[in-house]
Amino acid sequence: IDLMINLIPKEVFLKEEIYILEPACGFAQFLRRIKERYPHLNAKLLGIEINEEIFRKAISSKPKEIEIIKSDFLLFDLNCQFDLIIGNPPYGIPSSSSHYPIKIDFKTKEKYKTLFSTWYGKYNVYGAFIEKSIKLLKEKGYLIFIVPATFMILDEFKKLREFLSQNGKTKIIYMGLDVFKPYADVSTVILIFNKSKKESCKLELFEYKKGRIIPISFKKNWKGEIITFKTDFSLFLENLCHYKLGDIYEVKISPRTPEIKNNPYVIKSKICPSDEFIPILNSKNLTCCDIKYENFSGYWIKKSDIKKLRAYFDFPHIVLGLGFRKDGKVACAIDKKCYPWMGDVYHLIRKKDLMSGEFDLTDEEVVEYLSSDYVKRYIKDVYREITYHLSITQIKNIPIPTKKEFEEIRKK
């Protein structure tokens, strides 16, 4: 909290009267600390909290200068704009399902989707908090949030990144995994956003190390692309390799569990129904350079019907796991037996255009490279500990060498 308050630009406090908001405020710790640090500040201090029990405790002990409203911030209409919005919004995918942390009903979720232009895919609620907060800022106002780092790279946040690039200047301070341990295992960043229609597209990336904020990179014309780190090794690999994986392969995702469950050609059984059936494989079947053709999923399908799941199941191709093995390597192999797959497994389908035709690594050599320490190190350098899963965008952006370039990598 003190670090984030220290990051508030001085010009915010130079105004005669300022409006400060803390969404999802809990006990309003940020507002209380600002009041303690700046007791003579002429400011309207407003917090919004949805939890009834926390709200009651907060208002029973708050200073009189702080106002707290009980409401869902994402649905609450505020008729004013703010010079500063600061806090720690909630994280999680909102759903009525038991395995998701933020419980909301279907009707409320549909309202969220309607209200927020950045909502995309399995959206995390903190993205909606960022969008609404920016809309509530005055011109030149500041947003300072501590949030997961996932919006930097995941495909679900591509609209949010575009929104940030179009509405002002973005500064990110990477905090790493340790901020909320042992209560939460999440890589976090401090997002500092300065709203400005005239000066959009500016991105600055920093890292917090041993009490110091260290500059990493600067981009003047950021358009919402994924945000990555740079090292000497990652730059060497990117500069040496003329191709990226997405130039050579289409990247497809396996059918998800609901699709498999509802497919009329799929049978769920602990044992094989008959000799005509083969198991539907999942990520448990995949290791580095090898596939175990056993049934870990409990689902079966006739060999003759697998094209009805996906056409590319019918020919040999590279399969690749979303997550990393415990040693940090990417799990991938060639499925030469042409089995069906489900869940967290990608499929690399070789393109047949001119660019891919000039690429001279075989699929076997590509698997060797993707399973290597080179790619392990590249992913670690570029994406740090932001996520334990690879997105399609991350996979497509992996630099991939020709035979000559592969030899050069080995030599170096």
Side-chain angles (χ1 to χ4, degrees), residues 111-305:
K111 281 185 184 177
Y112 289 167
K113 289 181 180 180
T114 303
L115 287 170
F116 300 108
S117 62
T118 61
W119 200 285
Y120 180 78
K122 283 190 174 181
Y123 204 45
N124 194 305
V125 74
Y126 80 82
F129 269 76
I130 291 172
E131 179 185 339
K132 178 158 185 177
S133 296
I134 288 171
K135 288 176 178 176
L136 289 171
L137 285 176
K138 296 177 183 177
E139 181 72 5
K140 299 293 184 182
Y142 280 89
L143 169 72
I144 303 179
F145 272 174
I146 185 163
V147 294
T150 46
F151 78 93
M152 294 170 61
I153 59 173
L154 291 186
D155 297 340
E156 287 86 348
F157 294 100
K158 65 180 184 180
K159 289 186 177 182
L160 178 64
R161 291 192 297 269
E162 289 171 7
F163 178 82
L164 291 170
S165 73
Q166 292 163 1
N167 286 282
K169 296 177 284 187
T170 302
K171 183 184 290 185
I172 295 169
I173 303 172
Y174 183 71
M175 303 297 291
L177 274 171
D178 297 331
V179 175
F180 293 114
K181 281 186 174 178
Y183 308 104
D185 187 17
V186 57
S187 283
T188 56
V189 298
I190 294 174
L191 170 65
I192 304 168
F193 184 83
N194 183 211
K195 187 173 182 177
S196 173
K197 288 290 185 184
K198 295 179 181 178
E199 298 183 74
S200 59
C201 301
K202 186 177 176 182
L203 172 71
E204 295 177 273
L205 178 62
F206 299 81
E207 184 170 14
Y208 187 79
K209 269 188 175 181
K210 297 179 181 178
R212 295 177 59 228
I213 297 173
I214 303 166
I216 300 293
S217 62
F218 170 81
K219 202 166 189 177
K220 188 176 182 180
N221 295 305
W222 180 55
K223 303 296 184 185
E225 304 91 350
I226 63 172
I227 305 160
T228 59
F229 295 86
K230 302 291 183 185
T231 66
D232 289 342
F233 177 76
S234 71
L235 290 171
F236 158 71
L237 212 60
E238 289 169 3
N239 292 332
L240 176 69
C241 297
H242 285 79
Y243 296 97
K244 292 183 178 180
L245 198 66
D247 297 329
I248 311 303
Y249 293 93
E250 292 180 53
V251 183
K252 307 286 188 180
I253 185 71
S254 297
R256 314 304 280 178
T257 303
E259 182 182 344
I260 294 295
K261 280 183 177 179
N262 297 319
N263 191 290
Y265 300 100
V266 173
I267 291 176
K268 185 170 179 61
S269 173
K270 291 182 179 180
I271 60 171
C272 182
S274 75
D275 292 340
E276 295 179 282
F277 285 82
I278 56 174
I280 298 178
L281 309 183
N282 60 24
S283 57
K284 293 179 181 178
N285 296 88
L286 181 61
T287 60
C288 280
C289 305
D290 191 32
I291 297 170
K292 297 177 181 178
Y293 291 94
E294 304 171 33
N295 194 316
F296 294 112
S297 70
Y299 292 99
W300 307 81
I301 191 170
K302 288 181 179 179
K303 179 73 173 174
S304 57
D305 289 332

Side-chain angles (χ1 to χ4, degrees), residues 22-119:
E22 183 180 352
C25 66
F27 297 107
Q29 291 146 303
F30 286 92
L31 297 178
R32 290 170 191 261
R33 193 75 180 116
I34 289 171
K35 184 61 186 170
E36 289 171 8
R37 294 268 296 271
Y38 305 95
H40 303 298
L41 188 68
N42 183 19
K44 179 176 175 60
L45 304 172
L46 176 64
I48 298 176
E49 173 56 43
I50 193 172
N51 184 287
E52 176 72 33
E53 183 181 355
I54 293 174
F55 168 74
R56 290 188 178 281
K57 288 180 180 178
I59 60 172
S60 67
S61 61
K62 72 175 181 63
K64 64 180 180 180
E65 295 88 353
I66 297 174
E67 179 185 2
I68 301 178
I69 297 170
K70 183 189 175 299
S71 185
D72 180 346
F73 170 71
L74 297 180
L75 299 180
F76 186 67
D77 285 328
L78 285 151
N79 56 5
C80 62
Q81 289 189 300
F82 296 86
D83 302 282
L84 172 67
I85 300 176
I86 190 168
N88 175 24
Y91 319 151
I93 296 170
S95 174
S96 57
S97 300
S98 59
H99 57 281
Y100 287 113
I102 297 180
K103 303 294 185 293
I104 62 166
D105 57 71
F106 175 79
K107 191 175 180 181
T108 303
K109 187 168 182 176
E110 290 304 303
K111 281 185 184 177
Y112 289 167
K113 289 181 180 180
T114 303
L115 287 170
F116 300 108
S117 62
T118 61
W119 200 285

